[in-house]
Amino acid sequence: MKHLLFFFFFVGIHSWAQAVDLHVWQFSIDEEQARPLVAQFEKKYPHIKIHMQQLSWDFGNDKIITSLISGNAPDVFEIGSTWGPHFSQSGVLKEITEETQPYRDHYLMWEPVTVQSKIYGFPWLVGTRFLFYNKTLFQKAGLDPNHPPKTWAELVTAAQKIKALAPDTYGYGIAVAEEFAPWQTFIPYLWNSGGDVLSKDWKTIALNSQAARQTLAFYQTLKPTALLNRQEQIDQLFAAGKVGMMLSGAWNFKSIQKTNSKLEYAVSTVPVPQLSQSSTSFGGGEMLVILNKTKYPKEAFEFVRFLTSYDVELLLSRTQRNVLPSLKTALKDPFFRQDSKMKGFAEQMLTAKAPPAHVGWIKMEKVLSSLIDRVMLQNESIPQALEATSLELSHILNQVQSKGTISDQSLTVWILALLFVLVGGLWFLRDRKKPLGEASTWILVLPWVGLFFVFSLYPLLYSLVISFSEYNVLTSHFSFTGFLNYFLILKDPEFLKAVGHTLFFAAGTVPFTLVISLGLAALIHQGVPWKSLFQAGFFLPVVTSIIVIATLFTFFYSENGFLNFILTTLGLPKPNPAWLINHHWALVSIMAMAVWSSSGYYLILFLAALQSVPSSLYEASRLDGANGFQQFFKITLPQLKPMILFVVVINTINSLQVFPEIFTMTKGGPARSTTTIVYYLYEKGFSEFQMGSASAVAYLLAILMCIFAYVQMKVLREKS
């Protein structure tokens, strides 16, 4: 009996030692669908326990980067194909070149995770852009609904005929004023005309070419018949039957079925300049990668192979209907021949190609989208726009990415040592004649001091050091560069534009907010009917999330939004393109929303200040014959000067830090006409991963705010 117990004890210990916990983060499978797949894998590999978490596309990338920085990254995670070059060259991913050798010829889209013939990920699910066309509008326009346009000339002709049907009907949809869709829908036409962004060896920019000029001229030909808007708006209006054709993705299959199931539409390949050419489109997808520091590389690869198997990929394609399997044989499954739309999707995927897997592409794609905005929204000449864009792309191409030589752990040790020396120096230099106080006092203060050091002073010193270095956010290593970050930022024309936009935003919102909030406070203070109701109503936007307000105003300002509806009803002109797409009106529109949403806060401050003005001053002035107008300017305003100073300074600081409105409503577009300092900082840090430059921008902004606060306080105090 004793020997049997020992046997089971050692078997249990051995089983426990062999147990494997794999943490997997992915975007593509919801929990309901993931559960049976995980159970199927765990049944085959009982010693492996899968902990799967679904991420959102909005913030998933930020979460992955944060986990890598903190050292809590999952064993396996999914990345988008455009993220592939940066992650693959960062050193945080495991190289799986040998493991993938038997599968290389059987899967699509290896390019995003390939660096110098080394493989750092496995293609999983893929997608592309293809032509959607409305068969009903084709019939009404006298076009054959069974023969979509195959050439550029046919596309232009079809768009013109559809546009002629009604003023609110558009022949084609062109994506503008956002980061990704404009270049993703433009580059297939560029490739089909024989052009490209980079040379074949990726050493020079090839964009300023005859092919690019021809493609942009083709876009200009489409402009009179086209809807210029964000991809989401184009998709919605196509589903509503207002857009005849568009280049978009398979996510529309579900959304059209949900919003307008009766819409008769079909899909086709991207039109080409000449009928004899084959159609190429932009291809992307989801990549499964393995953490370089995982404890279980073999088990991680087994799970990757499970997710990329024929059955799983085909299952996901069938159920989701917005992605395709990366496995070529799965694309030939009968499922893709039975459904005409999925068949067209799969046919375009077979000729799609990925953009260059260059580490700087994540910056280049925004520059390419701005090129479309320049030509289509700002009416900049094609040669001028191509030349300026090529210069920007060349600057990105020539940037050298530093690997970093110092770890952030070393930096932490140095900062802690510096703080120790600083505290020790203050202790040594203290006035020894003054008592330090009771021990109980220090005990009570110590928690706050500790929190201040850990969460305020340490991050402040850390970011200050980072601003003088080039920091690799994925590897947490850096190398000192001196004042180079500050020099490059101050030299960057985009930063100077961002400063101009920020100052314009502050200059346009602070005075209006001041006048409106003060005027409303004075009216409420006079005792208008339903005073409490007005007070609560004006304050409501202040307690509402700015993201919610910005989202609502995005629809308010849209092409078919409430504002345009009012203008049309009154017979007044409306901007074309719409407010947030128009580079003349986009920033002004956001400013108007900011004034509306923030006035309630300053109203409460002014109301409190008005109630503190002595009533005896008003009584004495009335005896002297002063009217209400004179009382306001001679008594009220002088008494409110301290509060006016406070409101102006605080409102200016808030305006200089404007970010959530820009992030939610325009993403800095169109053509970067709404890029502010903080949004520029966000792009540098969390999109381009240049934390050193982002930190430098933060300190430049801090200096700018201090200058404004000092000048305003000095001027207003002197006047008072």
Side-chain angles (χ1 to χ4, degrees), residues 10 63 150 173 312 351 394 414 434 443 683 711 718:
F10 283 115
K63 183 171 182 177
K150 294 296 183 181
V312 174
T351 59
S394 296
W414 280 102
K434 294 182 179 180
I443 292 174
E683 284 189 316
V711 171
E718 286 179 355

Tab-separated table of all heavy atoms in Angstrom, residues 10 63 150 173 312 351 394 414 434 443 683 711 718:
chain	number	residue	atom	x	y	z
A	10	PHE	N	4.372	10.313	-7.117
A	10	PHE	CA	5.373	10.695	-8.125
A	10	PHE	C	4.740	10.902	-9.498
A	10	PHE	O	5.153	11.782	-10.260
A	10	PHE	CB	6.487	9.646	-8.204
A	10	PHE	CG	7.460	9.741	-7.064
A	10	PHE	CD1	7.574	8.716	-6.135
A	10	PHE	CD2	8.255	10.874	-6.923
A	10	PHE	CE1	8.470	8.813	-5.096
A	10	PHE	CE2	9.162	10.963	-5.871
A	10	PHE	CZ	9.276	9.938	-4.959
A	63	LYS	N	-2.466	47.556	-25.876
A	63	LYS	CA	-2.376	46.588	-24.790
A	63	LYS	C	-1.205	45.629	-24.990
A	63	LYS	O	-0.494	45.290	-24.039
A	63	LYS	CB	-3.690	45.802	-24.672
A	63	LYS	CG	-3.693	44.820	-23.511
A	63	LYS	CD	-5.060	44.220	-23.279
A	63	LYS	CE	-5.019	43.271	-22.075
A	63	LYS	NZ	-6.358	42.711	-21.781
A	150	LYS	N	-14.544	46.794	-65.818
A	150	LYS	CA	-13.265	46.099	-65.705
A	150	LYS	C	-12.077	47.032	-65.957
A	150	LYS	O	-10.943	46.708	-65.599
A	150	LYS	CB	-13.205	44.939	-66.696
A	150	LYS	CG	-14.199	43.817	-66.394
A	150	LYS	CD	-13.901	43.139	-65.060
A	150	LYS	CE	-14.837	41.973	-64.794
A	150	LYS	NZ	-14.559	41.330	-63.469
A	173	GLY	N	-17.390	55.957	-54.499
A	173	GLY	CA	-16.980	56.452	-53.187
A	173	GLY	C	-15.466	56.444	-53.051
A	173	GLY	O	-14.832	55.412	-53.276
A	312	VAL	N	-9.956	24.730	-39.188
A	312	VAL	CA	-10.203	25.918	-38.369
A	312	VAL	C	-10.313	27.162	-39.238
A	312	VAL	O	-11.235	27.981	-39.078
A	312	VAL	CB	-9.089	26.091	-37.314
A	312	VAL	CG1	-9.265	27.406	-36.568
A	312	VAL	CG2	-9.098	24.932	-36.333
A	351	THR	N	-4.809	37.266	-56.210
A	351	THR	CA	-3.915	38.172	-56.940
A	351	THR	C	-3.530	39.386	-56.098
A	351	THR	O	-2.927	40.329	-56.613
A	351	THR	CB	-4.586	38.655	-58.238
A	351	THR	OG1	-5.805	39.336	-57.917
A	351	THR	CG2	-4.876	37.486	-59.152
A	394	SER	N	10.908	59.993	-48.173
A	394	SER	CA	12.368	59.832	-48.185
A	394	SER	C	12.942	60.059	-46.793
A	394	SER	O	13.869	59.353	-46.370
A	394	SER	CB	12.999	60.812	-49.173
A	394	SER	OG	12.586	60.535	-50.488
A	414	TRP	N	19.540	54.180	-11.899
A	414	TRP	CA	20.180	55.499	-11.886
A	414	TRP	C	19.235	56.563	-11.333
A	414	TRP	O	19.667	57.453	-10.578
A	414	TRP	CB	20.630	55.881	-13.301
A	414	TRP	CG	21.926	55.235	-13.699
A	414	TRP	CD1	22.096	54.162	-14.510
A	414	TRP	CD2	23.239	55.630	-13.277
A	414	TRP	NE1	23.428	53.851	-14.636
A	414	TRP	CE2	24.158	54.742	-13.899
A	414	TRP	CE3	23.726	56.636	-12.456
A	414	TRP	CZ2	25.526	54.839	-13.705
A	414	TRP	CZ3	25.100	56.742	-12.269
A	414	TRP	CH2	25.983	55.837	-12.892
A	434	LYS	N	16.139	74.077	13.217
A	434	LYS	CA	14.695	73.878	13.192
A	434	LYS	C	14.363	72.416	13.448
A	434	LYS	O	14.989	71.526	12.886
A	434	LYS	CB	14.121	74.301	11.837
A	434	LYS	CG	14.245	75.798	11.572
A	434	LYS	CD	13.608	76.155	10.235
A	434	LYS	CE	13.716	77.652	9.977
A	434	LYS	NZ	13.096	78.020	8.679
A	443	ILE	N	4.994	59.898	9.935
A	443	ILE	CA	4.319	58.635	9.615
A	443	ILE	C	3.064	58.894	8.789
A	443	ILE	O	2.751	58.175	7.837
A	443	ILE	CB	3.982	57.872	10.910
A	443	ILE	CG1	5.275	57.398	11.585
A	443	ILE	CG2	3.060	56.682	10.608
A	443	ILE	CD1	5.059	56.765	12.927
A	683	GLU	N	0.793	60.342	-31.965
A	683	GLU	CA	1.270	59.640	-33.161
A	683	GLU	C	2.729	59.232	-33.011
A	683	GLU	O	3.114	58.116	-33.373
A	683	GLU	CB	1.099	60.537	-34.386
A	683	GLU	CG	-0.322	60.639	-34.891
A	683	GLU	CD	-0.384	61.351	-36.215
A	683	GLU	OE1	0.297	62.381	-36.373
A	683	GLU	OE2	-1.114	60.887	-37.109
A	711	VAL	N	2.413	84.891	-19.187
A	711	VAL	CA	2.047	86.121	-19.899
A	711	VAL	C	0.630	86.548	-19.550
A	711	VAL	O	0.362	87.730	-19.281
A	711	VAL	CB	2.198	85.919	-21.424
A	711	VAL	CG1	1.621	87.100	-22.179
A	711	VAL	CG2	3.663	85.722	-21.785
A	718	GLU	N	-1.751	93.169	-14.290
A	718	GLU	CA	-1.396	94.572	-14.474
A	718	GLU	C	-2.628	95.409	-14.796
A	718	GLU	O	-2.787	96.534	-14.326
A	718	GLU	CB	-0.352	94.704	-15.590
A	718	GLU	CG	1.039	94.250	-15.171
A	718	GLU	CD	2.049	94.374	-16.304
A	718	GLU	OE1	1.617	94.729	-17.429
A	718	GLU	OE2	3.248	94.129	-16.065
